[in-house]
Amino acid sequence: MSTTPKSDAAEETAVPSSDAAVTTQQEISAEIEELASAAQHAGGEARQPSIDYPPYRSSILRHPTKDLRHADPETIERWAPCFGHRDVHPLEADLTIGAHAGTNSQVSGEPIGERITVSGRVVDGEGRPVAGQLVEIWQANAAGRYVHKNEQHPAPLDPNFTGVGRCLTGPDGSYHFQTIKPGPYPWGNHRNAWRPAHIHFSIFGNAFTQRLVTQMYFPGDPLFALDPIYQAITDQKARDALLATYDHDLTVPEYSMGYRWDIVLTGGDRTWMEPEEPKEHSE
C-alpha cells in the first residue's frame, strides 16, 4: 500500500470563487491578527487550532459536523494494518530515485530541484522512541506542483518525481528520507494566496484509526505570516515545533542539504496534528 499524494491546492480550494477573488491578503492578515489578539485576551494561545478558523475559508469543510458513530472495535481491528520489513522496501524512502523497488514505478531519471535529506525521531511525551511505525510523506515538486488529478496550479510536472515515500521507524524511533525541497504554490483561499513550502507526514499507530497527519515546514519562509493554515495555531511554541532545523551533520557533501525534524506524539510538547476529516470531504 502506498500513499497517493494529495493536492492541497486542489482540496483547499473549496471556497466560493467570488469570495476568493475579492478577499485580499491584507484582509486575511487583518483577520489573523484580530483572532490572535482575541486568543491572547481570552487566556493564552492555543496549541491546537479551532476547527473553524475563518481566515482559512474552507476549514468548515475539513472537520466532522455530525455526531460520532459507535463502531465495533473487533470489526475495526480486522482491518488494522500490520507492517513488517518485507512490506516496506528501504528504497521507498528515497524519492530522488525513479524506480522504487516494489512500487512498479516506471520513472527512471532524476528529479529536478534541490536535493534534501530529512531525518528525525518519532518519540512519546517522555522522549522514548516509538519503533516500527509506518511514516509516509507526500509533497509538491520543486515547482510547487502535486501529482494529482485535481491539481490546478499551472507549474510543470516533473516526470521523474512522484512526491510520495514511506519508511518504518527504527529501534530508536528514527526515520530517514531523501527527497527534493518542495516549492510554494498558490491556493484558492483568497486573492494571491500562497502556501509556504511544506512536506506532509502521516504516522500510523497499531491501527488505521490511530493515523496522525501533520506538516513539516522549512525555517525562514517569508509566507508564514501570510498563511492562515500555519497561523491557525496561535501558540508560537507549537508553530515552532513544525519547523525543521538545518543540520550540517545530515548534509551529504556535494549532494544534499540536511534537515532534522522530530515528531512528538504525546504530552504537552506534542507535535500539532491535523484534525480528522469527515468521510464526505476526504480523498
Side-chain angles (χ1 to χ4, degrees), residues 9 140-147 151-158 183-186 194:
N141 65 19
R145 178 77 182 265
Y146 283 91
V147 181
E151 175 66 90
Q152 299 297 313
H153 183 22
L157 283 169
D158 187 337
Y185 55 79
W194 289 77

Side-chain angles (χ1 to χ4, degrees), residues 117-164:
T117 298
V118 179
S119 187
R121 298 174 68 226
V122 178
V123 298
D124 65 15
E126 301 298 323
R128 294 174 297 220
V130 182
Q133 298 298 289
L134 179 67
V135 180
E136 298 177 314
I137 65 170
W138 63 94
Q139 62 171 93
N141 65 19
R145 178 77 182 265
Y146 283 91
V147 181
H148 193 278
K149 62 182 180 180
N150 293 330
E151 175 66 90
Q152 299 297 313
H153 183 22
L157 283 169
D158 187 337
N160 297 315
F161 189 72
T162 62
V164 59

